Amino acid sequence: MFKYISEAEWYLIGASLLFVLFFSLFIYFLYRIKEKQNNFLNKEKSLKSQFSETLLQSQLEIKEETLQHISQELHDNLGQVASLIKIHLNTLQLHDTAKAAEKIDDTKELVRQLIFDIKSLSLSLGTNKIQQIGLAKALRLEIQRLKKLEQFTISYSGVEEVSGLNADKAIILYRMFQEICNNIIKHSKAKHIHVLLTVSNNLLTLVVHDDGIGFDPALLEGNGSGLDNLRNRAQLIKSNLTIASTPDKGTTISIILPLNHVAPEPDNKVSFS
C-alpha cells in the first residue's frame, strides 16, 4: 500500500529542495566571486611584474642614452676646453706681464666654463637625476642637450616643477619623452619641436609637437614598434596617449597622467587628425 503524503510533508520536501537549490546557488556564486578575485589578483600581479620590467628597461635605456651623451660631451666639448687650457698654459710668457695677465684671465674663464660644463654634465648621470631635480627640470636639461645637435630648434613652455608625481612613473614618462624625440629626429625631418608640460586639475599633460612630414595613420597598424612601445608604457602608468598626425603637417603627441591616483584613469587610446 502506498503511504499517503500529507500536505505538511509536501511543504517540507519543497522547502528542502529550495534550500538545496539556494545553497547550491550560494556555493556557485561564492566560487565565481573567488575565481574573479583570483583572476584580478593574478592580473594585478602580472601588471606589477610588467611595470617593474618596463621600469628597469627604461632605467637601462636612460643610462645608455646618458653614456652616449657623456661620451659626446667629453669628445666635443670638455676635451676641447681642456685642450685650450693646456695650450694657454704652455704658451704663457711670464716675461711679458701684460700678455701673461691677459692669457691668465682667458685661462680662468676657460676653467670656469669647464667647471660649469662638468656640473651640467653631472646632472645627467643616471635616473636618480629625475628624483633629485624633478621631471620638469630633467626635461629641460634633455632639451638643452638636443639643442646642441643643431638639426632643429626646440623650445619648452609650462611648469617649472611637478609635485605629486610617482618617481617610478616619472622615469617611464621621461623615457617616453626621449623616445618621442628620438623618433622625431630619425623620421620627421622637423625644423622645430615644441614641448609643453602643464599640471591642472590633478592631471599632468605632456605635449610634444613637431612640424615634420607627419605620417600615414596606416603605418601604425602593427608596423610601428616604437609607437607600440609608447602605447604599452602609457598603459602601464595608467595614462592617456594621443597621437595626432597628418602627412606634411607634423605630429602632436599628448600624454595625460593622473597625479596621486585622485583623478579618474582614462583609457589609453590613439587618435588621428
Side-chain angles (χ1 to χ4, degrees):
M1 296 292 296
F2 292 102
K3 182 181 178 181
Y4 175 75
I5 301 177
S6 66
E7 185 177 355
E9 289 176 322
W10 279 114
Y11 279 125
L12 181 61
I13 292 172
S16 299
L17 290 174
L18 285 174
F19 174 78
V20 171
L21 177 62
F22 283 121
F23 183 76
S24 300
L25 288 173
F26 173 76
I27 295 298
Y28 172 76
F29 284 121
L30 189 65
Y31 170 78
R32 292 292 296 170
I33 292 172
K34 188 66 176 178
E35 185 180 40
K36 288 184 178 181
Q37 185 180 26
N38 289 335
N39 289 338
F40 174 79
L41 292 175
N42 289 334
K43 183 179 180 180
E44 187 177 27
K45 184 178 179 181
S46 176
L47 286 175
K48 286 182 178 179
S49 175
Q50 188 178 357
F51 181 86
S52 297
E53 290 177 4
T54 301
L55 176 62
L56 177 60
Q57 182 181 356
S58 298
Q59 290 173 327
L60 292 175
E61 289 169 346
I62 292 173
K63 288 180 180 179
E64 183 179 355
E65 291 256 353
T66 301
L67 290 174
Q68 292 177 354
H69 171 49
I70 290 173
S71 176
Q72 184 176 352
E73 283 292 302
L74 289 174
H75 180 270
D76 297 340
N77 190 14
L78 300 183
Q80 291 185 7
V81 176
S83 296
L84 286 174
I85 292 173
K86 181 180 178 181
I87 292 172
H88 275 62
L89 294 176
N90 287 337
T91 57
L92 188 63
Q93 298 178 3
L94 297 177
H95 63 275
D96 189 336
T97 55
K99 289 185 177 180
E102 182 181 352
K103 186 157 289 189
I104 289 173
D105 288 339
D106 291 341
T107 304
K108 287 180 179 178
E109 183 59 34
L110 287 172
V111 171
R112 281 193 290 268
Q113 180 63 40
L114 184 63
I115 293 172
F116 174 80
D117 290 340
I118 291 174
K119 286 182 177 180
S120 299
L121 189 60
S122 68
L123 289 175
S124 65
L125 295 175
T127 56
N128 289 336
K129 68 174 180 181
I130 301 174
Q131 296 176 337
Q132 294 170 354
I133 66 177
L135 176 66
K137 188 171 182 179
L139 293 180
R140 295 197 297 273
L141 285 173
E142 181 69 9
I143 288 170
Q144 291 300 321
R145 182 184 74 84
L146 293 174
K147 283 182 178 180
K148 294 181 180 180
L149 298 177
E150 297 182 348
Q151 297 179 11
F152 43 77
T153 60
I154 181 168
S155 57
Y156 173 90
S157 61
V159 297
E160 294 294 320
E161 60 181 23
V162 179
S163 59
L165 178 61
N166 176 276
D168 292 341
K169 288 186 178 182
I171 290 173
I172 294 178
L173 188 60
Y174 176 78
R175 178 53 192 156
M176 290 174 68
F177 170 74
Q178 285 187 316
E179 194 164 357
I180 291 169
C181 290
N182 287 340
N183 287 336
I184 293 173
I185 293 169
K186 291 178 181 178
H187 307 296
S188 76
K189 299 181 182 179
K191 298 299 182 182
H192 181 73
I193 303 169
H194 182 67
V195 181
L196 173 67
L197 180 66
T198 61
V199 176
S200 178
N201 297 324
N202 210 50
L203 291 175
L204 178 150
T205 302
L206 174 62
V207 180
V208 182
H209 172 75
D210 71 77
D211 61 354
I213 60 175
F215 52 85
D216 189 334
L219 295 177
L220 284 178
E221 298 298 331
N223 295 326
S225 58
L227 295 174
D228 290 339
N229 197 23
L230 285 177
R231 285 195 294 270
N232 292 336
R233 294 185 180 191
Q235 188 173 16
L236 279 178
I237 61 175
K238 299 180 180 178
S239 65
N240 184 326
L241 173 69
T242 302
I243 302 174
S245 183
T246 303
D248 300 322
K249 292 186 179 180
T251 300
T252 300
I253 299 180
S254 303
I255 304 171
I256 301 176
L257 175 68
L259 298 174
N260 294 325
H261 303 283
V262 175
E265 298 174 356
D267 294 329
N268 178 36
K269 66 180 182 179
V270 176
S271 63
F272 303 95
S273 63

